[in-house]
Amino acid sequence: MDIEFTLDGKATKCPQGLTIAAALFHVGHRTLRSSQRGNSPRSLFCGMGICLDCVLEVDGRSGVRACATLLKPGMRVATQAGASSIASPT
Ligand code: FES
């Protein structure tokens, strides 16, 4: 069964039971944020919640680890760019 969520304001569907990172890869979205210095694209690195390369904004909260957060119906997911991509401790 598919669930719906928004990615950068665009309605998107993917199978339920995926992490946010897996869901974004499923729909072909590989860049999860850009770096503070130079706006370099970032994506999965460790895939287990340690490196913070995958952080993005979920339901208005920044610094959410895409690889360690289960996607839920209706979530508003947004990629983070530049200075806004600073991860907050969780
Ligand atoms: S990929 Fe390293 S914390 Fe998510």
Side-chain angles (χ1 to χ4, degrees):
M1 185 171 112
D2 283 351
I3 61 173
E4 291 186 27
F5 65 104
T6 61
L7 173 59
D8 292 331
K10 182 180 170 190
T12 309
K13 289 183 180 179
C14 77
Q16 68 179 5
L18 301 177
T19 62
I20 294 171
L24 298 190
F25 273 53
H26 178 78
V27 298
H29 191 90
R30 302 279 193 256
T31 299
L32 305 179
R33 70 173 181 99
S34 60
S35 66
Q36 272 183 281
R37 292 186 196 155
N39 277 335
S40 302
R42 292 289 184 259
S43 191
L44 285 179
F45 184 67
C46 73
M48 57 186 193
I50 295 173
C51 74
L52 303 179
D53 258 1
C54 68
V55 296
L56 35 66
E57 185 179 301
V58 177
D59 294 337
R61 188 172 143 234
S62 63
V64 176
R65 295 175 188 135
C67 70
T69 306
L70 193 65
L71 182 72
K72 295 177 184 164
M75 273 184 163
R76 291 174 288 118
V77 178
T79 53
Q80 293 184 178
S84 71
S85 67
I86 300 170
S88 59
T90 54

